[in-house]
Amino acid sequence: MMAYKILILGGTTEARELAARLAGEPRYETKLSLAGRTARPAGQPVPVRVGGFGGAEGLAAHLAGKGIDLLVDATHPFAARISANAAEAARVTKVPLLALRRPGWERGKLDRWTEADTVAAAVVALGERTRRVLVTLGRQELAPLRAHPHHFYLIRSVDPVDPPLDLPDAQYLLARGPFGEDDERRLLIDHRIDAILSKNSGGAATYGKIAAARGLGIEVVMVRRPPKPVVPTVGTVDEAVAEIAHRAASGKNRGV
């Protein structure tokens, strides 16, 4: 029997965990695709390709050329363009698509959240008063900070911000999650942080800052998730594994 070929669009904890669960199954031939935006990506349990495909058309050509039976979109909740390309490529090639989307964080009664639709709007929401802000955005999303240089920014990222932003009062912190609540509380206290600028990424790995902010009464300026294509979706790795097993067993490949 030919192996069931799976391509995972990754870059998230869930993608790595899903790949690990599928790696030990001889009935699957699994490959993980990374965009290549992180200079030091975590080790992966399956073969990896790095780099873009050239939009939806390029991804469609890859799916057809490699005989992929199932495309799994396990990209970051804010990777809207990649998810749109995946949906279009799946439609064109009739390769089934399954999205693995972690649930977003939900605001609790004690949370002090100000929500915004974009990073630029979120920075504006910090206000005119000088604040000490923990920034937990991707390196490619920091440009709006330049328009509001009156704040102190503690910018945390996996890879260095190079070149540094042209800001009078910014500090850079290199760190890779997961981040626990106790460690995040100490970070907030030590740096006298009074606001957090965050995307609603969801998941447990970076929830510690949200819990710590709640306990300290610190405001979180939260960027809402962008809309994603309506496709078959699961919320956990366990659900993804079960759905993939069902599809492989029932011959739900190539649009069947």
Side-chain angles (χ1 to χ4, degrees):
M1 181 180 296
M2 294 181 63
Y4 190 73
K5 293 186 177 181
I6 303 168
L7 177 64
I8 302 173
L9 305 180
T12 59
T13 300
E14 291 82 5
R16 186 169 63 252
E17 291 176 354
L18 176 60
R21 294 279 295 274
L22 301 179
E25 290 279 358
R27 56 182 165 164
Y28 303 138
E29 181 181 316
T30 306
K31 179 166 280 189
L32 183 63
S33 176
L34 302 176
R37 293 179 179 175
T38 301
R40 298 177 294 110
Q44 304 293 343
V46 298
V48 173
R49 74 170 300 279
V50 178
F53 291 93
E57 183 177 350
L59 177 55
H62 183 89
L63 296 177
K66 298 295 184 180
I68 300 299
D69 295 306
L70 177 66
L71 177 63
V72 180
D73 177 10
T75 57
H76 193 275
F78 281 76
R81 183 180 297 276
I82 299 174
S83 292
N85 288 343
E88 176 62 14
R91 183 190 69 80
V92 169
T93 61
K94 300 190 184 304
V95 172
L97 170 63
L98 177 67
L100 172 53
R101 298 176 183 165
R102 72 176 79 129
W105 297 319
E106 296 186 2
R107 181 176 184 169
K109 292 182 179 180
L110 300 179
D111 287 315
R112 292 180 55 207
W113 285 15
T114 298
E115 296 186 272
D117 288 327
T118 65
V119 172
V123 179
V124 171
L126 289 170
E128 295 302 322
R129 175 177 59 88
T130 299
R131 309 186 71 175
R132 297 183 62 83
V133 185
L134 171 64
V135 180
T136 58
L137 306 172
R139 291 179 301 152
Q140 295 81 18
E141 299 165 300
L142 299 175
L145 301 182
R146 297 193 186 100
H148 303 269
H150 58 290
H151 301 301
F152 163 78
Y153 295 110
L154 176 62
I155 301 170
R156 182 166 67 189
S157 60
V158 175
D159 296 317
V161 178
D162 188 21
L165 297 176
D166 183 17
L167 290 168
D169 201 5
Q171 183 176 337
Y172 299 91
L173 177 63
L174 293 180
R176 186 193 297 271
F179 303 104
E181 180 179 351
D182 290 342
D183 291 336
E184 295 289 69
R185 183 183 298 108
R186 284 192 292 271
L187 178 71
L188 297 175
I189 292 173
D190 290 347
H191 290 273
R192 296 179 285 115
I193 298 298
D194 59 38
I196 296 175
L197 181 55
S198 174
K199 297 183 297 186
N200 193 337
S201 300
T206 57
Y207 186 72
K209 65 189 174 192
I210 307 300
R214 180 189 306 125
L216 295 171
I218 291 174
E219 180 184 12
V220 178
V221 181
M222 188 75 75
V223 182
R224 298 185 184 95
R225 293 182 171 192
K228 290 283 192 99
V230 178
V231 300
T233 301
V234 294
T236 68
V237 172
D238 284 344
E239 292 172 345
V241 170
E243 177 64 18
I244 290 170
H246 170 71
R247 287 172 176 266
S250 60
K252 289 186 177 180
N253 60 341
R254 292 293 174 189
V256 176

